[in-house]
Amino acid sequence: MSKTVLGILAHVDAGKTTLSESILYLTGSIRKLGRVDNKDAFLDTYSLERERGITIFSKQAEIEMRGRSYTLLDTPGHVDFSAEMERTLQVLDYAVLVINGADGVQGHTRTLWRLLERYQIPVFLFINKMDQFKGNDEEKQEEQERLLASLQKELSTSCLDFGGEWDAAFLENLALCEEEVLEHYLESGEVEEADIVKMVAQRKVFPCYFGSALKEEGVDKFLKGVETYTAERKY
């Protein structure tokens, strides 16, 4: 059975290892959630990593979703260990770029984005720590829209909120990412799942999901998106 290799990348303190931990827990790969601040995160296996609360070496874990196997790679976020992270890029099928919602796009985030473009790696984005925003649902939605607009300006206009409402406006924006898909959409009013898989693989669209890895908010929806819109590796 072939395995899809997912690499999790982020600016330091974006919550990358916490998201990895949540993914492992929700897919049944581990039975107990660890935490970076408790120094018991499953993938922070070295004593120095647990002591400092950062990832120094890339680690891997195996997960299963919808009968498919994935290798999950947690990479260092600290700029001091960029060489270790960049070595990992060469084996990835897809990347998950984690962004701290409170900070938005940081300098190292842009560096990671350029590297992912250089290696032509398809990208899913998880905008983390959204639980830190207080206020009513309308205010939280406005903050989410502000963050999405920032991602579209700083990274790519093809960053779209896959975790939100799939209304006519969203489908039109999605279809605009690929000319043939747009033609089909104008004729039928639909965007086929197979076309979305292809657009993601060809880096024509970058699915974004908002949530909180620590509180497991939005992670289920994110995982559903990953298992739905990744293509099986072909040799």
Side-chain angles (χ1 to χ4, degrees):
M1 182 188 294
S2 63
K3 291 185 179 178
T4 302
V5 183
L6 295 172
I8 302 192
L9 300 88
H11 184 278
V12 68
D13 290 335
K16 176 178 49 57
T17 298
T18 304
L19 178 61
S20 301
E21 198 80 8
S22 184
I23 290 171
L24 292 172
Y25 180 71
L26 290 172
T27 57
S29 299
I30 58 175
R31 294 187 176 183
K32 179 179 178 294
L33 268 174
R35 287 181 54 160
V36 173
D37 51 358
N38 289 344
K39 302 181 181 180
D40 61 356
F42 178 78
L43 289 172
D44 280 348
T45 51
Y46 293 88
S47 58
L48 186 59
E49 291 177 311
R50 294 191 168 185
E51 183 183 320
R52 295 179 61 184
I54 62 172
T55 301
I56 297 173
F57 303 102
S58 296
K59 318 290 192 329
Q60 72 178 57
E62 306 301 322
I63 60 175
E64 296 278 335
M65 294 191 291
R66 284 210 308 195
R68 283 174 55 192
S69 296
Y70 295 79
T71 298
L72 186 70
L73 296 178
D74 184 18
T75 67
H78 201 286
V79 68
D80 289 352
F81 309 111
S82 293
E84 173 75 11
M85 177 278 300
E86 189 168 351
R87 276 194 294 272
T88 306
L89 295 183
Q90 299 172 45
V91 302
L92 298 187
D93 295 311
Y94 293 85
V96 176
L97 183 61
V98 185
I99 292 174
N100 182 344
D103 295 334
V105 175
Q106 302 288 287
H108 191 52
T109 314
R110 296 185 191 91
T111 299
L112 291 170
W113 189 259
R114 287 193 294 269
L115 284 168
L116 291 166
E117 183 176 19
R118 182 191 303 170
Y119 288 95
Q120 285 296 292
I121 298 169
V123 185
F124 289 80
L125 293 93
F126 187 81
I127 297 82
N128 195 24
K129 304 191 179 184
M130 296 302 293
D131 58 304
Q132 294 184 6
F133 293 102
K134 308 305 176 188
N136 58 38
D137 289 345
E138 185 178 339
E139 289 170 332
K140 289 179 180 178
Q141 182 61 34
E142 287 174 356
E143 184 61 35
Q144 192 165 302
E145 289 171 1
R146 185 192 68 77
L147 279 165
L148 183 65
S150 174
L151 294 174
Q152 291 171 342
K153 180 183 177 182
E154 299 269 2
L155 303 180
S156 170
T157 55
S158 296
C159 289
L160 300 181
D161 181 8
F162 270 53
E165 188 78 22
W166 282 53
D167 54 15
F170 171 81
L171 290 174
E172 184 176 326
N173 285 330
L174 179 58
L176 282 166
C177 295
E178 168 58 62
E179 189 173 333
E180 290 181 8
V181 176
L182 179 60
E183 289 176 7
H184 177 71
Y185 173 72
L186 293 174
E187 291 171 2
S188 67
E190 297 178 350
V191 179
E192 304 295 336
E193 184 177 297
D195 287 331
I196 301 174
V197 172
K198 190 183 297 183
M199 284 194 291
V200 171
Q202 294 176 347
R203 289 177 47 88
K204 292 183 176 177
V205 66
F206 303 100
C208 299
Y209 295 86
F210 294 80
S212 167
L214 186 62
K215 297 191 174 179
E216 294 173 57
E217 295 170 358
V219 182
D220 265 331
K221 188 174 282 191
F222 162 72
L223 284 174
K224 179 71 174 174
V226 169
E227 66 183 9
T228 303
Y229 302 118
T230 53
E232 290 206 53
R233 190 173 189 174
K234 300 215 169 25
Y235 294 92

